[in-house]
């Protein structure tokens, strides 16, 4: 009884303590079950699908709003473009009677660059809002461009051939001398037309044969289709007989190449000459505006405006055409180094 008594005495405390432990365990179990349930719900595939559906609905709604906004912007842009086009189509006249707005496009001869540039700049100054464009592709390409309707006016530094005249019309705006050029170090200063022909056909191959240094002559020319080449070969009688070392695609390239080679000879538009090369006299006559105009300088050719026969130019193109042939334009052609046919 002695040993059992303490146990019996402490029994109520032990039972109470066990009840507290049991209650705590039950509370913990309930919390754990709730945690497991919540974890299952939020990580289950069904919950993910639901969330994705919600996100999808949000994205769809946002996309709908963006689509509607884009439609509104598109309609506004179309309206602005239509108004701009409508405004651009109508040519306005200023107080001086000149038209504003529109475009004039030209294409062709690189030799006409200075002349057409001066005319185009003056024309745009007198007709505010009008755009003038020049595409330096060469005479042959310019003739083809106007024939195919890719520009308003073609530019050629040669007369049209008979087959081209069947559908195209040429109008000479200026005359230009074709200068024979050498490097400034070359002592030769004058050649006859016959000597020039012999040099380009290979009969004369050394500068010493015409009073120069003992050095092989390097022949520089233009590419096939060039108006400058056509004019040069026609006047010198060397068509399809020249033995070029280089055939270049622009007047500027010819001038640059000759300026860098003391043994080279080339030909270039008088209107495009620079002080980096030396122009020879031909038969004792120097190329100039006066000698081209009076015909004493024989290596010359026309600067031609080319249009389609039977087709009416746009109002702006016709206005430029008339301006280029006017007495007023003569000063700009002269300043560009060519000889105007009017004024």
């Amino acid at each position: 009884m002695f040993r059992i008594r303490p146990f019996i005495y402490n029994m109520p405390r032990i039972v109470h303590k066990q009840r507290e432990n049991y209650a705590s365990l039950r509370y913990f179990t309930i919390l754990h079950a709730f945690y497991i349930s919540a974890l299952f719900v939020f990580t289950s595939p069904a919950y993910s699908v639901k969330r994705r559906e919600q996100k999808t609905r949000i994205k769809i709604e946002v996309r709908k709003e963006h689509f509607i906004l884009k439609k509104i912007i598109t309609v506004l842009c179309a309206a602005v473009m239509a108004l701009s086009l409508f405004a651009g189509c109508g040519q306005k006249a200023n107080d001086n009677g000149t038209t504003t707005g529109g475009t004039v496009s030209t294409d062709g001869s690189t030799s006409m660059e200075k002349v057409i540039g001066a005319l185009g700049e003056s024309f745009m100054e007198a007709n505010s809002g009008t755009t003038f464009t020049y595409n330096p592709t060469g005479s042959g390409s310019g003739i083809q461009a106007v024939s195919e309707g890719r520009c308003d006016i073609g530019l050629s530094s040669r007369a049209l051939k008979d087959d081209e005249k069947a559908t195209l019309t040429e109008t000479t705006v200026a005359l230009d001398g074709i200068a024979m050029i050498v490097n400034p170090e070359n002592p030769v200063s004058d050649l006859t037309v016959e000597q020039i022909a012999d040099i380009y056909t290979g009969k004369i191959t050394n500068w010493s044969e015409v009073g120069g240094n003992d050095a092989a002559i390097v022949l520089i020319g233009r590419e096939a289709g060039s108006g400058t080449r056509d004019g040069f070969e026609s006047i010198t009688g060397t068509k399809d007989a020249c033995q070029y070392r280089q055939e270049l695609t622009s007047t500027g390239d010819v001038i640059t190449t000759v300026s860098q080679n003391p043994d080279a000879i080339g030909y270039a538009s008088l209107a495009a000459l620079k002080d980096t090369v030396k122009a020879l006299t031909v038969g004792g006559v120097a190329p100039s505006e006066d000698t081209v105009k009076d015909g004493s300088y024989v290596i010359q050719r026309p600067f031609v405006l080319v249009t389609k026969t039977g087709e009416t130019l746009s109002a702006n193109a016709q206005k430029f055409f008339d301006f280029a042939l006017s007495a007023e334009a003569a000063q700009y052609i002269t300043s560009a180094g060519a000889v105007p046919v009017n004024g």
Side-chain angles (χ1 to χ4, degrees):
M1 294 297 293
F2 176 77
R3 294 179 179 178
I4 299 174
R5 187 174 296 169
F7 176 76
I8 295 174
Y9 178 78
N10 292 323
M11 182 71 70
R13 294 181 180 179
I14 293 172
V15 171
H16 181 70
K17 187 66 175 178
Q18 287 178 342
R19 286 177 179 174
E20 287 180 350
N21 292 338
Y22 178 76
S24 297
L25 180 62
R26 185 173 59 181
Y27 179 73
F28 174 79
T29 302
I30 293 172
L31 288 177
H32 184 263
F34 179 78
Y35 171 75
I36 295 298
S37 299
L39 186 63
F40 174 77
V41 169
F42 289 108
T43 60
S44 66
Y47 179 78
S48 299
V49 171
K50 185 175 181 180
R51 290 290 298 167
R52 284 198 297 270
E53 290 176 349
Q54 291 176 345
K55 291 180 179 179
T56 301
R57 284 198 298 270
I58 293 172
K59 288 181 179 179
I60 291 174
E61 291 175 357
V62 171
R63 287 173 181 171
K64 286 181 178 178
E65 292 177 356
H66 286 179
F67 178 74
I68 294 172
L69 183 59
K70 286 181 179 179
K71 288 185 69 175
I72 293 174
I73 293 174
T74 301
V75 171
L76 289 175
C77 289
V80 171
M81 290 177 67
L83 289 173
S84 300
L85 181 62
F86 179 77
C89 289
Q91 295 178 359
K92 299 177 181 180
N94 58 27
D95 294 337
N96 297 324
T98 57
T99 59
T100 60
T103 301
V104 180
S105 60
T106 62
D107 188 307
S109 173
T110 62
S111 297
M112 293 178 67
E113 180 176 3
K114 283 189 176 180
V115 170
I116 207 68
L119 291 175
E121 183 177 351
S122 301
F123 180 74
M124 285 192 292
E125 288 178 356
N127 297 272
S128 60
T130 301
T131 301
F132 180 90
T133 64
Y134 162 59
N135 190 20
T137 59
S139 297
S141 296
I143 292 170
Q144 183 177 359
V146 71
S147 178
E148 295 175 352
R150 291 186 283 109
C151 67
D152 294 313
I153 300 171
L155 307 172
S156 176
S157 53
R158 64 167 174 81
L160 291 181
K161 299 174 182 178
D162 290 340
D163 60 328
E164 295 168 339
K165 291 180 180 179
T167 57
L168 300 173
T169 300
E170 64 179 3
T171 304
T172 300
V173 66
L175 299 175
D176 178 53
I178 301 176
M180 302 306 304
I181 58 173
V182 295
N183 189 281
E185 297 178 8
N186 194 320
V188 175
S189 59
D190 180 77
L191 292 172
T192 65
V193 174
E194 291 74 18
Q195 286 175 319
I196 292 170
D198 288 345
I199 287 172
Y200 270 88
T201 56
K203 293 179 181 179
I204 296 176
T205 59
N206 195 291
W207 281 112
S208 62
E209 299 178 62
V210 288
N213 298 324
D214 183 12
I217 301 174
V218 178
L219 303 177
I220 307 300
R222 289 292 305 278
E223 84 288 1
S226 161
T228 307
R229 173 171 169 168
D230 183 85
F232 168 77
E233 292 183 352
S234 297
I235 294 168
T236 59
T238 58
K239 197 168 185 63
D240 301 325
C242 293
Q243 299 182 12
Y244 297 109
R245 173 76 65 84
Q246 288 182 267
E247 299 179 33
L248 304 177
T249 59
S250 73
T251 295
D253 289 342
V254 172
I255 293 173
T256 299
T257 301
V258 172
S259 70
Q260 296 172 348
N261 190 331
D263 301 322
I265 185 172
Y267 48 79
S269 166
L270 175 61
L273 285 190
K274 299 178 181 179
D275 56 9
T276 55
V277 293
K278 180 174 72 174
L280 301 177
T281 58
V282 177
V285 180
S288 68
E289 179 182 345
D290 291 337
T291 58
V292 169
K293 194 169 187 177
D294 65 23
S296 59
Y297 185 78
V298 295
I299 306 180
Q300 60 173 274
R301 42 66 186 284
F303 278 168
V304 175
L305 302 181
V306 184
T307 54
K308 292 190 74 171
T309 303
E311 290 195 9
T312 303
L313 291 172
S314 68
N316 280 303
Q318 184 63 56
K319 192 171 186 64
F320 171 78
F321 186 91
D322 295 339
F323 166 71
L325 297 175
S326 68
E328 178 187 356
Q331 58 181 318
Y332 305 113
I333 295 173
T334 300
S335 66
V339 180
V341 295
N342 297 313

